[in-house]
Amino acid sequence: MITPPPWHFSGEVVMVEYRADPAAAAAFLPQGLSAGPDPGAAAAVFAEWQWCSESGAELDDPARNGFAEFLILLGCSHNGRPMARSPFVWVDQAVPMVRGWVQGMPKQFGSIHQSRPVTVGRAGPRLAPGGRFAGNLSVFGRRAAEARVELTTTTDTPPTLHDVPLAHTLSFPDWTGSGDRTDRLVASRVGDVEFSEIWKGTAELDLFDVLGPDFASLAPVETGDGYVFSYAETLHGGYSLHD
């Protein structure tokens, strides 16, 4: 089901920066991570991905190599190094969900949709001033998140939380009752990172109180800029942050 890395990803991203309550965000940081210099910094990310293994065989099967994703990112640091933590992630395919567990990402099933840019016609937004992009997440038939971005200009600066390593936790529950449970703080080895032209604009973001108090605690207290861009990376496996 899961091919060995490297895994190559190319995607379209709609992203909104925002501020969460600093105390609520800190509650999701395990031992070894601190809130860093900007407590409460957060982002909501919608992405539509295509992926393939090193052989590229998946590219001949569009039903297999595409998936949509929504995740929350929280700013943090490890030994003074800026990083991000993702306490909530949803995808709409089984392979990226299980692959996320291999990485230590807490992926779940959800329904994710977002606007796609068009170059002809009127049935979609343009990558131009005034272009309006949106994304939404539904879980168990309930609308859980919505975002809207209206583009104003381009920028040479990638969104902060999309340009730092992600810190995950590999967790192995005590299935046998031995009392031996191991949690390891890890990060992925990422290469071949590419950003397209990055569009920036005004944004709106709603996280709805339908998934319980933990998710609701990360609702925006202030909404920042929105971004639309293409992004690519290659994952080459992971490494321990305890070393």
Side-chain angles (χ1 to χ4, degrees), residues 152-183:
T152 56
T153 186
T154 59
T155 176
D156 295 328
T157 304
T160 300
L161 295 184
H162 210 284
D163 200 29
V164 295
L166 300 185
H168 307 308
T169 300
L170 282 178
S171 181
F172 300 94
D174 181 19
W175 176 246
T176 63
S178 65
D180 183 17
R181 172 173 173 156
T182 302
D183 291 338

Side-chain angles (χ1 to χ4, degrees), residues 24-110:
F28 289 94
L29 302 181
Q31 185 176 359
L33 298 180
S34 65
D38 191 13
V45 182
F46 295 87
E48 287 191 340
W49 297 106
Q50 293 189 120
W51 71 274
C52 68
S53 60
E54 188 67 2
S55 71
E58 296 82 4
L59 299 179
D60 293 328
D61 189 353
R64 180 182 177 190
N65 87 317
F67 69 96
E69 183 172 43
F70 171 82
L71 62 158
I72 298 291
L73 296 176
L74 303 176
C76 62
S77 65
H78 175 262
N79 290 340
R81 181 189 186 190
M83 303 191 80
R85 176 79 168 175
S86 183
F88 292 102
V89 192
W90 284 269
V91 292
D92 62 357
Q93 297 285 344
V95 167
M97 184 174 72
V98 176
R99 189 168 48 210
W101 298 345
V102 172
Q103 298 171 247
M105 294 185 74
K107 295 193 177 185
Q108 307 175 63
F109 269 126

Side-chain angles (χ1 to χ4, degrees), residues 126-215:
R126 302 292 182 102
L127 289 172
R132 298 198 310 264
F133 288 76
N136 59 65
L137 163 73
S138 296
V139 181
F140 300 123
R142 301 169 181 169
R143 183 64 59 91
E146 288 183 347
R148 291 161 294 279
V149 177
E150 183 167 338
L151 304 182
T152 56
T153 186
T154 59
T155 176
D156 295 328
T157 304
T160 300
L161 295 184
H162 210 284
D163 200 29
V164 295
L166 300 185
H168 307 308
T169 300
L170 282 178
S171 181
F172 300 94
D174 181 19
W175 176 246
T176 63
S178 65
D180 183 17
R181 172 173 173 156
T182 302
D183 291 338
R184 290 185 63 82
L185 199 61
V186 298
S188 295
R189 299 188 186 277
V190 179
D192 303 320
V193 170
E194 294 183 66
F195 284 87
S196 71
E197 183 177 54
I198 300 170
W199 280 88
K200 180 179 179 180
T202 60
E204 301 174 28
L205 175 65
D206 294 303
L207 302 183
F208 301 111
D209 187 9
V210 296
L211 299 179
D214 287 342
F215 183 74

